[in-house]
């Protein structure tokens, strides 16, 4: 079963995303509330994908992504930035620090996430 780590400091956003992911497929879902916690959880559970908010307290998603990319197990891990910081500058910065893709919040059409997840898992299986 594929593991997805959802990282978001807003509990409502985190709950909604987890709810939607449960309806999309048979995933093991884990959550973290900031980048520091995300690093700890990811090291423990070794997710197959991370959905990472970028603006969070304690440690933001940019720094967490940079640090994940420095680990042997995290250097090729798919990380999708999911953030309300949605202008082109934030997108470019997210991709520059190592995010694999970018989705702007609020998410109106959750099938976008579903398609991206399918593409990532299909490409990794090939």
């Amino acid at each position: 079963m594929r593991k997805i780590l959802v990282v978001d400091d807003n509990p409502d956003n985190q709950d909604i995303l987890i709810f939607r992911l449960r309806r999309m497929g048979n995933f093991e879902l884990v959550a973290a509330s900031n980048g520091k916690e995300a690093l700890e959880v990811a090291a423990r559970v070794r997710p197959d994908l991370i959905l990472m908010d970028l603006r969070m307290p304690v440690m933001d998603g940019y720094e967490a992504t940079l640090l994940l990319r420095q680990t042997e197990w995290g250097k090729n891990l798919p990380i999708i930035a999911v953030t309300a910081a949605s202008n082109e500058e934030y997108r470019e910065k997210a991709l520059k620090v190592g995010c694999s893709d970018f989705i702007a919040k609020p998410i109106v059409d959750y099938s976008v996430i579903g398609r991206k997840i399918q593409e990532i898992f299909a490409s990794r299986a090939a």
Side-chain angles (χ1 to χ4, degrees):
M1 181 183 308
R2 301 287 190 152
K3 290 181 251 179
I4 299 176
L5 172 57
V6 175
V7 186
D8 199 309
D9 62 316
N10 181 314
D12 292 335
N13 290 343
Q14 196 180 86
D15 289 346
I16 291 167
L17 193 48
I18 288 171
F19 173 80
R20 294 293 189 150
L21 289 167
R22 279 196 182 111
R23 297 184 65 114
M24 286 180 204
N26 189 22
F27 305 118
E28 181 181 331
L29 301 167
V30 290
S33 299
N34 61 63
K36 183 178 184 299
E37 187 179 336
L39 292 172
E40 294 164 2
V41 172
R44 188 176 70 249
V45 304
R46 301 290 170 97
D48 298 294
L49 169 68
I50 297 178
L51 299 174
M52 179 81 75
D53 188 13
L54 296 177
R55 297 188 310 185
M56 299 177 288
V58 183
M59 178 187 293
D60 65 26
Y62 299 109
E63 185 177 357
T65 299
L66 280 170
L67 292 171
L68 282 164
R69 293 296 183 226
Q70 293 173 15
T71 67
E72 186 60 35
W73 55 269
K75 66 182 177 186
N76 296 313
L77 179 66
I79 301 171
I80 300 175
V82 182
T83 182
S86 60
N87 69 31
E88 189 60 28
E89 177 184 334
Y90 289 104
R91 183 182 186 286
E92 287 176 15
K93 184 177 178 184
L95 297 175
K96 186 176 181 180
V97 299
C99 289
S100 314
D101 209 335
F102 186 93
I103 297 173
K105 289 193 261 184
I107 302 167
V108 178
D109 181 2
Y110 279 85
S111 69
V112 170
I113 289 179
R115 282 193 304 275
K116 288 181 184 287
I117 290 171
Q118 286 177 345
E119 289 169 9
I120 287 169
F121 289 160
S123 70
R124 294 178 81 73

